[in-house]
Amino acid sequence: QVQLVESGGGLVQAGGSLRVSCAASGRTFSGYIMGWFRQAPGKERELVAGISRSGILTYYADSVKGRFAISRDNAKNMVYLQMKSLKPEDTAVYYCTASSGTGTIPLDENGYDDWGRGTQVTVSS
């Protein structure tokens, strides 16, 4: 099990940038595939980005490709989501999550084992 704590959320104007961070503790961080999900009011939680254990492979939802970048620092037990050109529709609670699975980056939340409590990102128009 790994404990996850998100930080860096906040209020930003449309077109602006924001970076959310996730600090992990517990088991060996480098052994986990990491992901960022988000959930907007009245909507289902959706995978925004995922990153492999080494950081070489990444996945992005179509809605954020070219605008968001996921990265990780295994030496610091950190994963980041850099967001730019933010839109009001990016407003959501952003969750950091970890998968101990042996395959590729899971696209469904059922593929993830541990979750942070989330951090609110609000984009004003």
Side-chain angles (χ1 to χ4, degrees):
Q1 188 178 11
V2 61
Q3 290 76 45
L4 304 169
V5 179
E6 302 94 337
S7 62
L11 175 64
V12 63
Q13 289 188 334
S17 299
L18 198 66
R19 188 178 80 162
V20 290
S21 303
C22 174
S25 61
R27 302 290 293 273
T28 306
F29 176 69
S30 60
Y32 288 85
I33 296 168
M34 300 300 295
W36 284 97
F37 278 73
R38 68 184 180 187
Q39 187 167 23
K43 295 188 177 181
E44 294 186 354
R45 192 156 51 182
E46 62 173 349
L47 177 64
V48 174
I51 189 166
S52 63
R53 294 173 179 81
S54 65
I56 293 176
L57 298 177
T58 56
Y59 165 87
Y60 295 98
D62 288 342
S63 58
V64 306
K65 280 181 181 176
R67 301 189 299 120
F68 289 14
I70 188 171
S71 60
R72 66 189 296 165
D73 186 335
N74 286 344
K76 296 182 178 179
N77 287 7
M78 296 290 295
V79 62
Y80 307 97
L81 185 67
Q82 178 69 51
M83 303 179 287
K84 64 179 183 179
S85 301
L86 283 161
K87 305 175 182 180
E89 51 262 44
D90 294 317
T91 295
V93 177
Y94 283 71
Y95 297 91
C96 178
T97 185
S99 171
S100 60
T102 57
T104 187
I105 299 169
L107 303 185
D108 185 86
E109 61 180 88
N110 293 324
Y112 293 86
D113 307 296
D114 301 298
W115 295 80
R117 293 186 176 183
T119 185
Q120 177 71 46
V121 172
T122 302
V123 184
S124 63
S125 56

